[in-house]
Amino acid sequence: MPRTARTRWRIGLTATALLTAAALVPAPAHAEDVTDYAITVDPAAQGAKIDDTMYGVFFEDINRAADGGLYAELVQNRSFEYSTADNGSYTPLTSWAVGGTAQVVNDSGRLNERNRNYLSLSAGSSVTNAGYNTGIRVEQGKRYDFSVWARAEGGSTLTVSLKDAAGSLAAARQVAVKGGWAKYKATFTATRTSNRGRLAVATTNAAALDEVSLFPRDTYKNQPNGLRKDLAEKIAALKPGFVRFPGGCLVNTGSMEDYSEASGWQRKRSYQWKDTIGPVEERATNANFWGYNQSYGLGYYEYFRFSEDIGAMPLPVVPALVTGCGQNKATDDEALLKRHIQDTLDLIEFANGPATSTWGKVRAKMGHPKPFHLTHIGVGNEENLPREFFARFEKFRAAIKAKYPDITVISNSGPDDAGATFDTAWQLNREGKVDMVDEHYYNSPNWFLQHNDRYDSYDRKGPKVFLGEYASQGNAWKNGLAEAAFMTGLERNADVVKLTSYAPLLANEDYVQWRPDMIWFNNRASWNSANYEVQKLFMTNVGDRVVPSKATTTPNVSGPITGAVGLSTWATSAAYDDVKVTSADGSTLLSDDFSGDASKWTGSGRGSWSIQDGQYVQTDTAAENTMVTAGDPAWKDYDLHVKATKKSGKEGFLVAFGVKDTGNYYWWNLGGWNNTQSAIEQAVDGGKGTLLTKAGSIETGRAYDIDIKVRGRQVTLFLDGKEWGSFTDDKPAEPFRQVVTKDAKTGDLIVKVVNAQAAVARTAIDLGTARVAGTARVTTLAADADAVNTETDTPVTPVTSTFPGVAEKFTYTFPANSVTFLRIKQR
């Protein structure tokens, strides 16, 4: 995931909307034959080949995507391993209620060395588990498998029951326990449906418990230790070409040590595959980077098996020993590096080796003697130290290629779509002749509309691109539209862009660390976001080759940058002085030295602003985006001068220009990202994108002179009298995009058109020399731009129809705010 974890929260929780600086040419009043756009297709030419793996999914355990999500276990904290290392509010009894006397023990009487804690339950006592969300979900008539590891030297009877506030949900079960640790099982059949179930275990005599588990019998493909059926089926319905796992920030954060006595049983570890295989009771739990515990019940074996079940290529990502996601530290322990490289070689053997090999034997013992056919592996994730990362990446790649020359080893380009880290990473990747580079970015809908041509200019002879994480900033239909427009450019460049996956995949609505997400769920239901519907439409109608085509565009009516000016802070206290705005002809538009009051400035209510010693000061170091504005939204072609001083806090200060309203502006973010870099960001209806970025920090107590020169759509920025940078924001946010592909199996031409604006697009389509049938199968996604799918309402849903008017040349009217696929048979 992008940048630092803090940035993820900033961007991910920002409400977003779509702004297009374009308009349709109005049609004459009585000229129905007049069209707004034209698409010309050249069926005789040959475009890029599209691989079967073009579209896939990326699974990261964020938003409770695994435990409490795709992993079907219904008991939370089943092994009593929750810890303050996972979350400051956790205890080993989190999600458990005790009746009588019970305590969690960490001593030599434990079940095994890697499962450190167990529950000591006194005679006549009980424990009750609350599950996830509102409780344990059971459905009338369905079967549920209970298991527990227990020890009772003198013997005891466990009474296991399922209940809710209204009473029993199934007949209770009696389990006789005697002697040392052993696994005991029972099965329930639910007599009622409930979303608020509780699992209770009571004992007659003293007993020890561990790995208390309840699974629905009805898992995906009825697999043991299986997956929640509805979520797995939604992923399978996408027909993904690959599954990237397990992260994300899980891969490259925390300690790189193993889980052992020698390392002090470190809990905040990077995701290491050997922790996640073998019997579930012997898998080491771990602190999840996103603030909870991960049981590793869903581990590497289950990821491989799920990929195989849905016909997708497995694509694991391993640590490169350079942390990211705000940690940004390179590990220099050579022995540790060699161990991780060997672990990676062992992973490939686990996936591909014969059942007689060391790690192939482990796979076979788990139930899969045949290989998983691993062909691609990623090393690292969004490292913000490109040179340190690449030095280690090369050692991984050399070892992998020496033993497994056919494996594609994937590098990455850092956490952003542009900037110094991105440029350095790509330079190293090109010079190193890397197979493939993993790019990640999360941007505003406006950015995605502007950058349909992003890969048009990429070197066709350089490394291929894996777009491993991307999304616009929201789950409204306008976000799906912007992503769809961008995806037409991905397909057009399928000779360079070989793999793509939207991210994140899953979100439990009651445990959210990141928005937006593709599939939403709770303990009783799941639903598809608008973004999911876009992904599914593209993923199930890919085609095998691009058919070259061209389209007319929408006239650009953007004009010069206009707007008022603003001052802001983010988790920082700062002071401002000597604000002056001068027009291009030298006249003064605004001058404020704060020797009087602050009546010229209008605030949003956030932060604490006051005049202090002739400066305008914001003192709240917790408040985010405290912007105050002054001036006229119609101002253009002006110079802005500000003197700014950081007083305390995490970041620097922000100076805004081109301010139209609270959701539409530019600002110079000096000392952002925990005071590690500065950038120009553009907000379009609340969704921010980065136009220019540089490394650097802001000193506390030092006064900085800031000057911003706005001319037309060009902006030049000066810091303490020296030019810091400049940009020209003249890229149109084109709302009308299209691509045409051919399905080799059926011969169909697939005309894919995105109309991301609030007016219909009457379009003349010329199929050239193609000989086509007279009808097309049409799939349309169309809704109000602000529509959002929820558990109870799904306004963004595909509608299928037949269009009878197809010919070599025909006219089609694409609805407002729509994505339309026309499948046209060729004769």
Side-chain angles (χ1 to χ4, degrees), residues 474-498:
N475 278 139
W477 179 227
K478 58 200 165 195
N479 301 98
L481 283 168
E483 290 155 7
F486 187 72
M487 291 169 78
T488 65
L490 298 180
E491 289 195 1
R492 190 177 62 249
N493 288 285
D495 57 327
V496 168
V497 183
K498 290 299 184 182

Side-chain angles (χ1 to χ4, degrees), residues 731-745:
K731 203 171 181 66
E734 175 59 57
F736 186 84
R737 296 291 189 183
Q738 60 79 40
V739 70
V740 180
T741 64
K742 180 180 178 180
D743 187 323
K745 185 176 180 180

Side-chain angles (χ1 to χ4, degrees), residues 622-644:
E624 298 180 345
N625 191 4
T626 63
M627 191 189 296
V628 292
T629 62
D632 188 339
W635 281 351
K636 63 179 181 179
D637 295 340
Y638 57 78
D639 297 323
L640 166 63
H641 172 78
V642 180
K643 189 178 289 291

Side-chain angles (χ1 to χ4, degrees), residues 640-642 668 705-709 716-721:
L640 166 63
H641 172 78
V642 180
W668 190 358
D705 283 307
I706 298 165
D707 291 277
I708 301 172
K709 180 178 181 180
T716 309
L717 305 116
F718 300 87
L719 186 63
D720 287 338

Side-chain angles (χ1 to χ4, degrees), residues 37-60:
Y37 297 93
I39 297 173
T40 305
V41 183
D42 185 359
Q46 194 171 79
K49 180 181 180 296
I50 306 174
D51 294 345
D52 292 340
T53 53
M54 176 73 179
Y55 294 117
V57 294
F58 163 47
F59 183 92
E60 178 179 8

Side-chain angles (χ1 to χ4, degrees), residues 107-125:
D107 66 15
S108 59
R110 63 178 65 88
L111 177 60
N112 60 65
E113 281 298 289
R114 295 173 70 76
N115 192 334
R116 307 292 292 168
N117 290 348
Y118 65 94
L119 182 73
S120 176
L121 194 59
S122 298
S125 299

